[in-house]
């Protein structure tokens, strides 16, 4: 079937785009649109209507084509053909008119939309800017401030808001898109409305101070550090005021091309597809039946349990929250109320929505109340004995077919499953704190977990708006197994000569959301200390990997909660400062362990930490713990504050070149020792293959 069709219905030329799944502007669509508009110039049509089949209007350029050489007609040229049509062109929007799709609409002479339609210019999320006239046309219609908001946030807005902004002309009131859009076109014709070029408008500037654009750049500088597309958007919008339309378009094209070829956009496009790929489980047939999840149980009313419960309540699924006694339960429920009220105060939720969510969460102290839940997730203390008791109890009370999930961060789900007579129903659902905010969900398939339990968990993740990644069982699964090695190397860098602030700054300057030692202070140093206390000396392993942390805890420095950890904290303001006492502890431990301290450069710190993640990532792949390299990137970008514009550790490895990565790991093996610097054999194989291909 053709991607674009044209028909003359009475005196209206109807162009229909049909390019599933999202009507992306592939070459066939661009070509089809241009030809259809040209055809309509020569027939008996009086007006042209552009609409789309399927669930959405055009959702943007075809992102998968961005790595390839562009093929004419280019999108900006299609827009010019549309805008210069001698007959009025009307776009009828439904679903999500995004990016190049919305730019098509902006180049039409009139725009109408069903009330549920959303429009937006999300290119920034791919490290791009609207590159088909969006930066020049949107400010002409909506003003500079609204246009900037739309492009810098990348978030879509609803049809009614778009109408208020002046971005669309008419909100259709009928359910039948085609019929109501046709009525609108006829009305325009009846009122003698002809072509109306957005490019001919001038941008309203009366509300702008002289320093507006500089001030705006300063206001976003911190959040957009290291990224190029944001400032380019601001510059292009400034050009829409200062330059004639054609010159503004040239500026936009140059900026767009620079962004499109940047490693940042490549990384963000990689993450876009990786996120979608991660939802697919290769080994499970598509037709695997899904279990119905109507009611959920959560065990543990602490921060994690409450966060998990909120996810389901927010998705309209009733939750029963269990705590061991009434006091703990009341505390948990009060905490939940506080979070929802906070959201109302901040304007992130309405009182009505918050009340509705809260009404979906019921507290209990009795396991019997789990008799009718379809899924139960435990978020209790991280101890194998406790987890086994909990699962034994669940096995007694839960109905047949209920999914029994553990939120454990490290423990062996196979062993937990043995506490039940139904290991096929047991799975790991590892949420990340704060669980109602963090997007990642590691779904851990144990040896006996049934396929339909995995498939149901994947679907459930979409319902609660999480990014799921499948993992197999190992200590720490994907994310925490890598984190453990990363934190080990942080400790060794501290011993060898770095200081907390240097490590944190080096990683944050590179783009990590937080430095590793700030995170440790926030989480509380006592938690991992307690876990270590349960281990034998042999299990604890190399003292270089934990001794500083132990000494800090033993000195009463538990992190932010005691106003002292790797940093000192002002009790009033929470302001973080360097602390000479920490330097003294680090130097003393280094001397005790016979480690000679010498300055480490920021580059060395970054390289060592990144390579640690990469090498462990390849070991995880090698062992089949993760399905694919891009899944590991999803874990790091959505669960561990890795900058998406750097694409994740595995993407970074590819960008650096696997042979170079391997050479550096082998060099560290020589200088830092084989204990931690033995390359993954999969990495060795892939690097050798890449070398062969490069030589061929
Ligand atoms: C742009 O327009 C640049 C221009 O300014 C200038 C150019 C010169 N291309 O998300 P879903 C695939 S930049 C190719 O699961 P949903 C997606 O990979 C673009 N493929 O569905 C998936 O494939 P699969 C600006 C695309 O209903 C399938 O469609 N536009 C594209 O949850 C379903 O996707 C954007 O950034 C694409 N543009 O959400 C919009 N979009 O099934 C990006 C989707 O094989 N897209 N696919 O895994 C979205 O935000 C969401 O996909 C959308 C639908 C909201 C549309």
């Amino acid at each position: 079937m053709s991607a674009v069709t044209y028909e003359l219905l009475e005196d209206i030329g109807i162009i229909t785009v049909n390019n599933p799944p999202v009507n992306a502007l592939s070459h066939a669509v661009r070509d089809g649109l241009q030809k259809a508009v040209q055809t309509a110039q020569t027939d008996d049509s009086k007006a042209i209507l552009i609409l789309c089949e399927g669930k959405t209007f055009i959702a943007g350029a075809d992102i998968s084509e961005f790595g390839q050489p562009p093929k004419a007609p280019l999108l900006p040229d299609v827009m010019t053909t549309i805008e210069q049509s001698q007959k009025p062109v009307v776009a009828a929007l439904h679903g999500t008119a995004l990016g190049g799709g919305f730019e098509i609409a902006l180049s039409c002479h009139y725009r109408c939309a069903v009330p549920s339609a959303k429009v937006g210019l999300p290119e920034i999320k791919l490290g791009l800017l609207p590159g088909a006239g969006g930066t020049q046309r949107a400010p002409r219609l909506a003003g500079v401030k609204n246009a900037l908001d739309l492009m810098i946030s990348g978030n879509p807005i609803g049809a009614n808001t778009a109408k208020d902004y002046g971005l669309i002309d008419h909100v259709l009131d009928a359910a039948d898109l085609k019929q109501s859009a046709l009525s609108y076109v006829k009305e325009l014709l009846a009122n003698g409305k002809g072509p109306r070029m957005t490019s001919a408008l001038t941008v309203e500037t009366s509300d702008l101070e002289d320093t507006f654009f500089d001030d705006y750049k300063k206001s976003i500088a911190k959040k957009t550090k290291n990224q190029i597309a944001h400032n380019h958007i601001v510059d292009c919008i400034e050009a829409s005021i200062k330059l004639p339309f054609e010159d503004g378009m040239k500026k936009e094209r140059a900026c767009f091309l620079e962004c499109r070829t940047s490693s940042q956009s490549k990384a963000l496009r990689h993450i876009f597809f990786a996120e979608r790929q991660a939802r697919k489980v290769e080994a499970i047939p598509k037709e695997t039946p899904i279990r119905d999840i109507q009611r959920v149980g959560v065990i543990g009313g602490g921060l994690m349990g409450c966060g998990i419960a909120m996810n389901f309540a927010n998705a309209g699924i009733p939750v029963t929250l269990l705590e061991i006694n009434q006091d703990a339960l009341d505390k948990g429920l009060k905490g939940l109320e506080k979070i929802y009220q906070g959201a109302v105060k901040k304007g992130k939720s309405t009182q009505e929505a918050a009340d509705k969510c809260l009404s979906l969460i019921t507290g209990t102290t009795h396991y019997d109340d789990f008799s009718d839940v379809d899924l139960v997730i435990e978020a209790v203390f991280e101890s194998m004995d406790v987890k086994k008791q909990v699962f034994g109890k669940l096995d007694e009370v839960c109905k047949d077919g209920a999914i029994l999930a553990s939120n454990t961060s490290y423990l062996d789900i196979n062993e937990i499953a043995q506490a039940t007579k139904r290991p096929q129903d047991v799975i790991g659902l590892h949420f990340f704190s704060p669980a109602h905010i963090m997007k990642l969900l590691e779904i851990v398939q144990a040896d006996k977990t049934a396929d339909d339990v995995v498939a149901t968990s994947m679907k459930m993740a979409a319902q609660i708006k999480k990014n799921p990644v499948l993992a197999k069982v190992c200590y720490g699964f994907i994310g925490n197994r890598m984190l453990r090695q990363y934190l080990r190397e942080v400790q060794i860098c501290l011993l060898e000569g770095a200081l907390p602030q240097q490590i944190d700054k080096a990683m944050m300057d590179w783009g990590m959301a937080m430095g590793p030692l700030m995170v440790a202070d926030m989480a509380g140093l006592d938690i991992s200390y307690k876990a270590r206390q349960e281990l034998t000396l042999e299990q604890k392993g190399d003292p270089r990997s934990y001794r500083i942390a132990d000494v800090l805890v033993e000195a009463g420095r538990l992190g932010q909660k005691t106003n002292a950890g790797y940093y000192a904290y002002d009790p009033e303001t929470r302001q973080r400062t360097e602390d000479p006492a920490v330097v003294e502890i680090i130097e003393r431990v280094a001397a005790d362990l016979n480690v000679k301290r010498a300055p480490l450069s920021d580059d060395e710190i970054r390289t060592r930490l990144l390579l640690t993640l990469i090498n462990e990532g390849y070991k995880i792949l090698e062992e089949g713990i993760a399905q694919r390299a891009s899944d590991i990137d999803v874990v790091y970008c959505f669960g561990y504050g890795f900058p998406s514009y750097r694409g994740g550790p595995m993407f970074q490895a590819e960008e650096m070149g696997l042979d170079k990565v391997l050479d550096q790991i082998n060099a560290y093996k020589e200088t830092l020792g084989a204990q931690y610097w033995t390359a993954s054999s999969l990495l060795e194989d892939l690097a050798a293959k890449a070398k062969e291909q490069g030589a061929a």
Side-chain angles (χ1 to χ4, degrees), residues 41-115:
Q41 304 306 306
T42 57
D43 66 14
D44 292 338
S45 60
K46 293 209 172 81
I48 302 162
L49 173 65
I50 301 179
L51 39 77
C52 292
E53 287 287 351
K55 63 176 185 175
T56 182
F57 192 77
I58 301 163
D62 187 335
I63 306 167
S64 62
E65 282 186 357
F66 280 158
Q68 302 158 20
K71 203 167 155 198
L74 300 181
L75 205 46
D77 300 332
V78 179
M79 313 294 184
T80 307
T81 307
I82 294 172
E83 199 173 51
Q84 290 179 353
S85 161
Q86 298 304 303
K87 301 172 182 181
V89 188
V90 182
L93 315 181
H94 76 293
T96 43
L98 300 177
F102 189 45
E103 289 173 292
I104 289 266
L106 295 178
S107 70
C108 292
H109 304 133
Y110 299 90
R111 288 156 291 281
C112 59
V114 295

Side-chain angles (χ1 to χ4, degrees), residues 341-357:
Q341 279 317 325
V344 173
K345 264 192 203 141
K346 284 185 201 147
K348 290 184 177 168
S349 168
T350 61
Q351 188 64 50
E352 198 191 349
D355 289 346
K356 180 151 186 266
C357 290

Side-chain angles (χ1 to χ4, degrees), residues 25 37 166 191-192 221 268 340 467 470 472 525 527 563 592 642 648:
L25 287 156
V37 176
N191 290 329
L268 286 160
Y340 278 114
N467 288 331
L470 186 72
K472 291 281 169 63
L525 306 187
I527 296 174
N563 298 318
D592 286 351
F642 200 99

Side-chain angles (χ1 to χ4, degrees), residues 84-161:
Q84 290 179 353
S85 161
Q86 298 304 303
K87 301 172 182 181
V89 188
V90 182
L93 315 181
H94 76 293
T96 43
L98 300 177
F102 189 45
E103 289 173 292
I104 289 266
L106 295 178
S107 70
C108 292
H109 304 133
Y110 299 90
R111 288 156 291 281
C112 59
V114 295
S116 59
K118 289 195 166 150
V119 305
L121 294 167
E123 285 87 344
I124 195 70
K125 297 187 179 180
L126 299 168
L128 297 168
L129 50 97
T135 66
Q136 303 306 297
R137 289 193 177 93
R140 283 176 160 79
L141 290 166
V144 165
K145 289 180 184 168
N146 288 334
L148 267 175
D149 270 359
L150 206 59
M151 292 178 221
I152 295 292
S153 76
N155 295 330
I157 53 173
N160 284 308
T161 309

